[in-house]
Amino acid sequence: MVKVLMVLYDGGKIAAEKDSGLLGTTQKELGLRSWLEEQGHTLVTTSDKDGENSQFDQELVDAEIIITTPFHPGYLTAERLAKAKNLKLAITAGIGSDHVDLNAANKTNGGITVAEVTGSNVVSVAEHVVMTILILIRNFVPAHEQVERGDWDVAAVADKEFDLAGKTVGTVAVGRIGERVLQRLKPFGCRLLYYDYQPLSEEAQNTIGCKRMDSLEEMLGECDVVTINCPLHEKTKGLFNKDLIEKMRTGSYLINTARGAIVVKEDVAEALKSGKLAGYGGDVWFPQPAPKDHPLRTAKNPWGGGNAMVPHMSGTSIDAQRRYAKGTEEILKSYLSGKHDYRPEDLIVHNGDYATKAYGQRK
């Protein structure tokens, strides 16, 4: 029989309620406990993942399968993998396996399979991107805070409120999420650009009405809004640093629902404070959960707005949780049956090698 370890976030009293749809929590355990235990398997679930003596570290030693999410990731470093003598399968309930040292996974225990539920929350994230763009460009947060304070000063908030129509919006990468963002922005009457190593099909590009740019820097210089939709890997870590942000239009907006480590947080915070960026929004942080002194919790522009950051929630709507819980179950069934007939698009690392030449580029 198999030991399965889940590292999930704690949903508290809300998740414990019978009719709660918070499947991705320690309380609901992706709805898989009964199914696993009926087959004689052992399930251990924890949210305790940090520190040398965390329950994650203690239980990982003899676990055969680990399941975690991008929203409360159990970081599988090379050091942790070296101690996990029985580990054979690492599942991301969601999309994005950058919390796993993939090179180490390839070499551990004859090759650990790393899989994720591709496509499970792309719509959810794309909707969040569009929402965040509108929140920032319409100066929503300062206006709402004004109402909460009991004030009423239309001029103070309308002075930095703009229409999305007629603005130029560009996406960094145009995979499953980036393409859906562009599709959803088309009705707003925006000029739509994208930068990606791989172009959209001519049909998709014509239907959306978007244009591929030859260089990232060229695209940034033309955009009023930039949305980051690329995966985190060696080439994108720290990509948006001070030098690259300087290539952006002064007073433009930056949206990041990809991964927190793609930006240099101190440089983004400084760009907000100086007014180089009119706004920064999204839901991804590094590390996660974000420490209380993380600069992007409170950084604002000179007129007191421009921050639309929330906890990592864009891809974990109730609808998305149903999809990635079901997808996790299917991956488990494939492994536990011995068939290993995984969906090819779900595989990141398999049989001691990368399943795709460019991991994550089309996520």
Side-chain angles (χ1 to χ4, degrees), residues 154-169:
V154 175
V157 288
D159 182 54
K160 299 299 179 182
E161 177 193 17
F162 301 94
D163 293 340
L164 182 52
K167 301 300 187 293
T168 298
V169 182

Side-chain angles (χ1 to χ4, degrees), residues 138-151:
R138 299 308 299 254
N139 206 26
F140 176 87
V141 174
H144 179 69
E145 290 174 343
Q146 183 190 104
V147 170
E148 284 189 321
R149 292 193 305 267
D151 297 336

Side-chain angles (χ1 to χ4, degrees), residues 95-97 102 116 173 175-176 196-197 229-233 347-348 354 356-363:
I95 301 174
S97 296
L102 299 176
E116 58 188 46
R176 289 181 174 90
D196 200 318
Y197 78 104
N229 297 296
C230 60
L232 174 65
H233 49 69
L347 292 173
I348 307 304
Y354 286 90
T356 58
K357 291 183 179 179
Y359 157 62
Q361 290 294 323
R362 305 306 294 172
K363 296 296 180 194

Side-chain angles (χ1 to χ4, degrees), residues 100 210 227:
V100 182
C210 58
T227 167

Side-chain angles (χ1 to χ4, degrees), residues 52 59 62 108 112 157 173 299 350 357:
E52 295 181 3
E59 300 291 350
D62 61 348
T108 300
I112 295 169
V157 288
H350 189 50
K357 291 183 179 179

Side-chain angles (χ1 to χ4, degrees), residues 250-329:
T250 297
S252 58
Y253 303 83
L254 182 62
I255 316 298
N256 184 12
T257 55
R259 286 295 181 265
I262 293 174
V263 306
V264 177
K265 57 183 182 294
E266 295 85 0
D267 293 349
V268 172
E270 182 55 39
L272 267 178
K273 292 175 184 176
S274 70
K276 175 65 180 179
L277 288 178
Y280 180 77
D283 69 325
V284 287
W285 311 74
F286 183 78
Q288 290 187 171
K292 292 184 178 181
D293 62 351
H294 195 291
L296 294 178
R297 282 182 179 265
T298 56
K300 294 185 178 181
N301 54 38
W303 47 95
N307 190 320
M309 289 299 290
V310 296
H312 196 170
M313 61 182 284
S314 67
T316 191
S317 66
I318 297 300
D319 297 296
Q321 289 185 55
R322 294 189 187 113
R323 292 190 291 267
Y324 65 66
K326 181 62 176 176
T328 299
E329 182 180 358

